[in-house]
Amino acid sequence: MRQHKFTLEEHELPTHYYNVVADMPNKPLPPLHPGTREPIGPEMLGPLFPQALIAQEMTTDRLVDIPEEVRDKYLKYRPTPLFRAHDLEKHLDTPARIYYKYEGVSPSGSHKPNTALAQAYYNKVEGTKKIVTETGAGQWGSALSFACAQFGLECEVFMVKLSYNQKPYRKTLMNTYGASVHASPTPLTEAGQGILAADPNSPGSLGIAISEAVEVAAQDPDAKYALGSVLNHVLLHQTVVGQEAVKQMEKAGEMPDVVIAPFGGGSNFAGLSFPFLGKNLKEGSNIRCIASEPTSCPKLTRGQFRYDFGDTVGMTPLLPMYTLGHNFVPAPIHAGGLRYHGAGVVVSQLLKDELIEARAHSQLECFEAGVTFARCEGILPAPETCHALATAFAEAERCKKEGKDDVILIHLCGHGHFDLGAYETYLRGELQHHELSDADIAASLAQLDTPVPA
Amino acid sequence: MRQHKFTLEEHELPTHYYNVVADMPNKPLPPLHPGTREPIGPEMLGPLFPQALIAQEMTTDRLVDIPEEVRDKYLKYRPTPLFRAHDLEKHLDTPARIYYKYEGVSPSGSHKPNTALAQAYYNKVEGTKKIVTETGAGQWGSALSFACAQFGLECEVFMVKLSYNQKPYRKTLMNTYGASVHASPTPLTEAGQGILAADPNSPGSLGIAISEAVEVAAQDPDAKYALGSVLNHVLLHQTVVGQEAVKQMEKAGEMPDVVIAPFGGGSNFAGLSFPFLGKNLKEGSNIRCIASEPTSCPKLTRGQFRYDFGDTVGMTPLLPMYTLGHNFVPAPIHAGGLRYHGAGVVVSQLLKDELIEARAHSQLECFEAGVTFARCEGILPAPETCHALATAFAEAERCKKEGKDDVILIHLCGHGHFDLGAYETYLRGELQHHELSDADIAASLAQLDTPVPA
C-alpha cells in the first residue's frame, strides 16, 4: 500500500513558536506613529493588545514558549495531517511529488484557530472581558469566536459586508459559538459612518472593518482588539503548522524543494513556510517559499514597499510593507480572506530581500484548480486555498517540462464547505474576471504621503 | 498534559469488514418478493446491484475482505480520530468519561464515504458506467459523488426536495464532484409523476427518492442503484468505524459501557456499534448499544416489527423491519438523514431480540445539545449527529445522579457546516416542534397488508 497520510502523536505537538525574525539578515524596520511619524515603542499598542502579545510582537527571540493551556486547546485538532497527493500527481501527469498540509480539520475549518486560541488565552490571563475583531471571508471571525467560547470571553466581529452577504452561514457559525456579528461598514462607529457617508453601498473591505473594530476596542476599557494576520505575533503563532510539517516531511523521507501558501496578510504563508525558511537561513537549505495572491489584490507582485496604515481610516501605526495603498478596495472576489491592501512587515522585508517569491493568479484559474483538486483528492478547498493550488499546478507543469521530480508542499489551509455559493457561480460559468490596470494601482498609491524606505 | 486524541497509523486501518450476522443468535428473516410474497434469492437483486455486493448482502461470514483499492482510497481520510471530550464532561458536571469517534474529517464531512467508496469500487470492477441513488440531507449523495469521482463513474442523485431547498450547497458539492442532482419527487420518473399528481407540493421523502432512483437504474443497462443505509452490505462497510474505535479505546485504556449513535436506516449506528456488540455476543462483554432517533420519525421506539417495502411506491423486496409504514412522510425536521420510515433488517432483529436499545429525542433537544457540544468541544455537529448527543447528555445526567463513572462513546458521524441554516433557525428561536400522535402512527401502519412475523 502506498502511504497517503503522515500523522504525528500528541506528544509531537510543537512546544514553541518559531520566530523567523531571529534569523533574518535584515530585521524589519520599526513601526511609526501615525501622527508624528517617529518610531513607536510597545506602549502605543497597550490600549489594543495584552502585554504578552505586545512582547511577542517586538521580540527577537528565536523560540517563544507555547503555554500549556494553549497546547491543551490545540490538541482538539492538532497535530494536523500531512498528505501525499498521489491521485493529483497522476492527473497532472507530473514527475513532481506533491504533498499538502491540511488545516481544514480544525473546528472552524481553517488554520486560523492557531492564533485565535493563543490570543484568547493571553487576553483571558490579563483580564480582558471582550475581544473585538474584523473578518473577511469569516475564517478568522469564526476561529476567534470558537477560541473565545473556549476561554469564556465575549466576542464581537465586524465582518466585511461583501462576505457577510456571500456567506451568511459563516455568520451563523460565529453566532453558534456565541459571538455577535455586524456587516461592515456599520453606522455603529465613526469610521463606518464616514465610509457610508461617502458610499452608502460600500461592499466593505478588511481595512474598513479593522478601522471599526479598533475604534470599538479602544473605547471600551474591558475590551481588546485582535487581528487575524499581518502582525508579527500572529505570524508567530501560525508556525506550529510548519514545524509539524517539517517533522512530517522527515517521516515521509523527503524535504520540499518548493513550499507554497496563499497570501492575504501573511499568517497563512508564514505558518507553513517560516520553519522551512529557517532551514535556509540557519542550515543553508535551498527551499523555495512562494506566496500566492489574487491578481485582483496583488500587493506582493505589483505593490510598492513603503510605510502605510494597516486600516483604511488611518488609525493604526504606519508599517513598512508591500502595499497597494490603504484606500485600495479590492474587487469582490470570493477569496475574501485575501482582499487586504498590505502585506505583513516580516514577509515584506523577506520579499524585499529576495528570500521568498510571490505569484498572482486570477479567480478563474484558482477555482479550476480547486475543482480538479476536489475530484482527485476529495477535499474541497476554500477559495483562498485555491491560490496555492494554482501556483502548485504551475510548478508541477514546470517539473514536467524540465523532467524534474521536485517535492512540492502546499498549505491546504482550509476547506471550502462555506464557499459553495462561489463554486456554484463557477460551475455555472458565471464567475467574474477582474482586470486591474497599472493606472488603478498607481492612482491608489499616489494617495499616500508616507515614507518610502531606502 | 491530558490526552485528547487517540490516533491510529495507516497500517492500523482495518483489513476486513465485520459481519455481525455471523454472531447473531437469531438470524434475520429472509426478504420476500413484493408480488408473490415468497422468500427471494440473490437473483432478484441482479438488475440493481453488482454481484459482489449481492454476495455481501447475503453472506453469513464473520469477516469480509476489504479490497486493497478501497483501503487505498480510505487512506485519504482514515483512520479517523477518537477524542476524549474533557471540556464537555466538565460542562455537564458528570462523573462519566465521554469519548467521541469523529467521522467529519472525511472529504464529504460524514461517515458515508466508508460505504460509498466500497460500492463505487465493486460497481467499477463489474463494468457499471453510472450509479443512481437517492439522498436525504445530502450526506450520502455527496459521499457517493466523491466516490464516483474517485473511480471514474457517472453519478445521478435524487435528492429529497425538502433538503434540496434547505441545503442548496449540498447540491453544489455533488456538482463539484461531477454528479447530476434532481429535486425529488421529479417528473422524470413514473414514481415521481404519481406522487406529484397526488400532491404537487410534496416535500419528498427518502422512500419516494428511492422509488425514483430504483426506477431509473432498473431501466438503464449501464447503470446500477446504490443505497446509503438499511441494507446489510451497507452496514457491513461502516464497521470500519467501530473496529477502529475498539483499537482506540484500548489505546485509551478503556472500554465503553455505553455506545451511542444516531439512527436513520441503521448504517451509522451499525458502523460504530456492531464491533462492540460483537464483543458482547462473542466475549460476553456487556456494552449497551443505543440507537438515537427523532421523535418525529420513531420507527424503533414506536414502530411495528413487520414486513414492509424499502421505498414508498412499493418496488423493492419486502423486508422484515421496524417500520412506521412505507407511506409515512416524516415531519420536515432538519436531520434529513433520519427521515426514513423503516430500520435495516439486521438492526431490527437485534432490537426485537433486545440486544440493543433505542431512544427518541425532539428536534429542539437535539439542537440544544449540538450548540453545547460546539461551544465545549469546538466541532459543530450535523443535526443527525445531535441525536446521539441528546442521548449521551441524558446518560451523563444518569451517571451524575447514580454517581457512576461510566464510559460513554458517541458516534460524532458528521460536521454541521452544511446545516447552518438549521442552526440559524434554532438560534432565532424559530425551530418547529412536531408532535406525532399514536393515531397518526396507527393510521400509517393500518395501510399495510404485509406479513407480521411471529
Side-chain angles (χ1 to χ4, degrees):
Chain A
M1 298 280 290
R2 54 190 189 171
Q3 192 164 359
H4 291 69
K5 194 161 61 165
F6 301 86
T7 51
L8 298 174
E9 298 285 329
E10 292 208 337
H11 67 82
E12 295 174 283
L13 181 76
T15 54
H16 296 78
Y17 299 119
Y18 166 63
N19 184 14
V20 77
V21 174
D23 296 314
M24 288 169 70
N26 298 316
K27 306 301 177 197
L29 299 171
L32 305 182
H33 189 281
T36 66
R37 311 214 161 174
E38 293 297 319
I40 61 165
E43 67 287 350
M44 255 266 333
L45 299 172
L48 292 182
F49 300 102
Q51 292 303 318
L53 290 176
I54 296 171
Q56 290 184 0
E57 186 64 21
M58 304 290 180
T59 187
T60 55
D61 291 351
R62 180 172 288 116
L63 297 177
V64 174
D65 275 0
I66 308 177
E68 286 292 287
E69 293 85 347
V70 175
R71 295 183 74 229
D72 180 74
K73 297 297 185 187
Y74 281 164
L75 292 178
K76 285 189 190 281
Y77 64 99
R78 306 209 68 83
T80 61
L82 182 138
F83 291 92
R84 171 89 183 260
H86 292 293
D87 289 337
L88 179 65
E89 291 171 18
K90 192 175 162 194
H91 176 84
L92 295 177
D93 188 25
T94 176
R97 297 193 295 286
I98 304 177
Y99 292 81
Y100 57 95
K101 175 72 168 166
Y102 185 42
E103 292 287 305
V105 295
S106 86
S108 61
S110 81
H111 63 295
K112 293 288 187 188
N114 299 328
T115 184
L117 287 166
Q119 293 193 49
Y121 167 75
Y122 289 114
N123 271 288
K124 179 72 176 180
V125 167
E126 295 189 25
T128 305
K129 303 291 181 217
K130 179 167 85 170
I131 302 183
V132 190
T133 197
E134 75 292 327
T135 195
Q139 288 189 342
W140 165 242
S142 48
L144 190 67
S145 303
F146 154 63
C148 285
Q150 289 294 306
F151 287 106
L153 294 168
E154 278 182 71
C155 185
E156 184 172 355
V157 182
F158 288 84
M159 183 172 187
V160 175
K161 192 177 280 174
L162 174 74
S163 294
Y164 187 95
N165 294 330
Q166 275 177 347
K167 306 187 189 181
Y169 292 159
R170 274 284 184 192
K171 168 191 140 329
T172 306
L173 181 59
M174 294 182 239
N175 294 152
T176 303
Y177 287 131
S180 61
V181 186
H182 314 290
S184 166
T186 75
L188 302 172
T189 65
E190 283 186 31
Q193 289 159 15
I195 299 289
L196 288 171
D199 176 8
N201 297 317
S202 166
S205 71
L206 276 169
I208 294 168
I210 292 172
S211 294
E212 293 201 84
V214 166
E215 183 181 325
V216 168
Q219 288 172 0
D220 181 346
D222 287 334
K224 295 284 183 191
Y225 168 71
L227 192 65
S229 189
V230 179
L231 297 180
N232 300 2
H233 68 274
V234 182
L235 276 56
L236 185 72
H237 299 153
Q238 290 292 354
T239 58
V240 292
V241 177
Q243 289 182 70
E244 287 180 9
V246 167
K247 286 186 202 168
Q248 288 164 311
M249 291 303 299
E250 283 167 359
K251 286 197 180 189
E254 309 250 39
M255 204 35 66
D257 298 292
V258 193
V259 174
I260 302 169
F263 196 92
S267 81
N268 176 335
F269 172 74
L272 182 64
S273 71
F274 281 5
F276 290 98
L277 188 64
K279 293 175 85 72
N280 291 352
L281 298 173
K282 285 181 298 184
E283 302 164 19
S285 298
N286 192 20
I287 301 164
R288 294 171 57 212
C289 298
I290 310 180
S292 305
E293 65 181 6
T295 49
S296 54
C297 195
K299 58 253 183 187
L300 297 178
T301 52
R302 296 171 73 190
Q304 183 182 14
F305 184 77
R306 72 184 294 171
Y307 274 97
D308 197 3
F309 295 102
D311 68 328
T312 297
V313 171
M315 300 167 71
T316 71
L318 286 164
L319 301 172
M321 59 187 188
Y322 279 92
T323 182
L324 296 162
H326 62 275
N327 288 313
F328 182 81
V329 177
I333 59 168
H334 291 278
L338 310 187
R339 293 180 69 248
Y340 185 64
H341 65 275
V345 169
V346 171
V347 179
S348 293
Q349 187 65 47
L350 290 167
L351 184 65
K352 184 156 188 290
D353 292 341
E354 299 182 1
L355 295 168
I356 61 171
E357 303 173 36
R359 298 283 184 280
H361 302 279
S362 76
Q363 179 163 242
L364 191 63
E365 189 185 359
C366 294
F367 275 90
E368 275 171 6
V371 170
T372 297
F373 188 85
R375 292 186 185 177
C376 291
E377 296 300 317
I379 297 167
L380 183 83
E384 291 81 1
T385 309
C386 291
H387 288 74
L389 293 173
T391 301
F393 284 24
E395 286 292 314
E397 183 64 23
R398 176 190 57 75
C399 289
K400 187 175 171 181
K401 280 191 187 144
E402 296 176 358
K404 281 197 178 163
D405 62 348
D406 281 3
V407 174
I408 298 172
L409 173 61
I410 305 166
H411 195 184
L412 209 77
C413 51
H415 70 58
H417 291 174
F418 296 103
D419 304 284
L420 283 156
Y423 276 95
E424 177 73 28
T425 307
Y426 167 75
L427 292 171
R428 280 203 201 117
E430 294 172 4
L431 201 69
Q432 281 193 297
H433 182 64
H434 304 279
E435 280 293 338
L436 183 62
S437 70
D438 289 340
D440 288 339
I441 295 174
S444 176
L445 289 169
Q447 297 177 45
L448 301 183
D449 65 352
T450 52
V452 180
Chain B
M1 297 281 289
R2 54 192 189 171
Q3 193 165 359
H4 291 70
K5 193 161 63 164
F6 301 86
T7 51
L8 298 174
E9 299 284 329
E10 294 208 335
H11 66 84
E12 295 174 285
L13 181 76
T15 54
H16 296 78
Y17 299 119
Y18 166 64
N19 183 17
V20 78
V21 174
D23 296 314
M24 287 169 71
N26 298 315
K27 306 301 178 198
L29 300 170
L32 305 181
H33 189 282
T36 67
R37 310 213 160 176
E38 294 296 319
I40 60 164
E43 67 287 352
M44 256 278 310
L45 300 172
L48 291 182
F49 300 102
Q51 291 305 316
L53 291 176
I54 296 171
Q56 291 185 359
E57 187 65 21
M58 304 290 181
T59 188
T60 55
D61 291 351
R62 179 171 289 116
L63 297 178
V64 174
D65 276 0
I66 308 176
E68 284 293 287
E69 293 84 347
V70 176
R71 296 183 74 231
D72 179 73
K73 296 297 185 187
Y74 281 164
L75 292 178
K76 285 190 191 280
Y77 63 99
R78 305 207 70 81
T80 61
L82 182 138
F83 290 92
R84 172 90 182 260
H86 292 291
D87 289 336
L88 180 65
E89 291 171 17
K90 192 175 164 197
H91 176 85
L92 296 177
D93 188 25
T94 177
R97 296 193 295 287
I98 304 177
Y99 292 81
Y100 57 95
K101 174 73 169 166
Y102 185 42
E103 291 287 304
V105 295
S106 86
S108 61
S110 82
H111 63 296
K112 292 289 187 187
N114 299 329
T115 183
L117 286 166
Q119 293 193 49
Y121 167 76
Y122 289 115
N123 271 289
K124 179 71 176 180
V125 167
E126 296 189 26
T128 305
K129 303 290 182 220
K130 180 168 84 170
I131 303 184
V132 189
T133 197
E134 74 293 329
T135 196
Q139 288 188 342
W140 165 243
S142 47
L144 189 67
S145 303
F146 154 63
C148 285
Q150 288 294 307
F151 287 106
L153 294 167
E154 277 182 71
C155 185
E156 184 173 354
V157 182
F158 288 84
M159 183 172 187
V160 175
K161 193 177 279 174
L162 174 73
S163 294
Y164 187 95
N165 293 330
Q166 275 177 345
K167 305 186 191 184
Y169 293 158
R170 274 284 184 192
K171 169 192 136 333
T172 307
L173 181 59
M174 295 181 237
N175 293 152
T176 304
Y177 287 131
S180 60
V181 186
H182 315 291
S184 165
T186 73
L188 302 173
T189 65
E190 283 185 30
Q193 289 160 15
I195 299 287
L196 288 171
D199 177 7
N201 297 316
S202 167
S205 71
L206 276 170
I208 295 168
I210 291 172
S211 294
E212 294 202 83
V214 166
E215 183 181 325
V216 169
Q219 289 172 359
D220 181 345
D222 288 332
K224 295 284 183 192
Y225 168 70
L227 192 66
S229 189
V230 178
L231 296 180
N232 300 0
H233 68 273
V234 182
L235 275 57
L236 185 72
H237 300 153
Q238 290 294 353
T239 59
V240 292
V241 177
Q243 290 183 70
E244 287 179 7
V246 167
K247 285 186 201 168
Q248 287 164 311
M249 291 303 299
E250 284 167 358
K251 286 198 180 189
E254 309 249 41
M255 205 34 68
D257 297 292
V258 193
V259 174
I260 303 169
F263 196 92
S267 80
N268 176 334
F269 173 74
L272 182 64
S273 71
F274 281 5
F276 290 98
L277 188 63
K279 293 175 86 71
N280 291 353
L281 299 171
K282 285 180 298 183
E283 301 165 20
S285 298
N286 192 21
I287 301 164
R288 294 170 58 210
C289 298
I290 311 180
S292 305
E293 65 182 5
T295 49
S296 54
C297 195
K299 57 252 183 186
L300 297 178
T301 53
R302 297 172 74 190
Q304 183 181 16
F305 184 76
R306 72 183 295 170
Y307 275 97
D308 197 3
F309 295 102
D311 69 327
T312 297
V313 171
M315 299 166 72
T316 71
L318 286 164
L319 302 172
M321 60 186 187
Y322 279 91
T323 181
L324 297 162
H326 62 275
N327 288 313
F328 182 82
V329 177
I333 58 167
H334 291 279
L338 310 187
R339 293 179 70 246
Y340 186 65
H341 66 275
V345 169
V346 171
V347 178
S348 292
Q349 187 65 47
L350 290 167
L351 183 65
K352 185 157 187 292
D353 292 341
E354 298 181 3
L355 295 168
I356 61 171
E357 303 172 36
R359 298 283 184 281
H361 302 279
S362 75
Q363 179 163 244
L364 191 62
E365 189 185 358
C366 295
F367 275 90
E368 275 171 7
V371 170
T372 297
F373 188 86
R375 292 187 185 176
C376 292
E377 295 301 317
I379 297 168
L380 183 84
E384 291 80 3
T385 309
C386 291
H387 288 73
L389 293 173
T391 301
F393 284 23
E395 286 292 313
E397 183 64 23
R398 177 189 58 73
C399 288
K400 187 175 171 180
K401 279 188 186 143
E402 297 176 357
K404 281 195 178 162
D405 62 348
D406 281 4
V407 174
I408 298 172
L409 173 61
I410 305 166
H411 195 183
L412 208 78
C413 53
H415 70 60
H417 290 175
F418 295 103
D419 304 285
L420 283 156
Y423 276 94
E424 176 73 28
T425 307
Y426 168 74
L427 292 171
R428 279 203 202 119
E430 294 172 3
L431 202 68
Q432 281 193 296
H433 181 65
H434 305 280
E435 280 292 337
L436 184 62
S437 70
D438 289 341
D440 287 339
I441 295 173
S444 177
L445 289 169
Q447 296 177 46
L448 301 183
D449 66 350
T450 52
V452 180

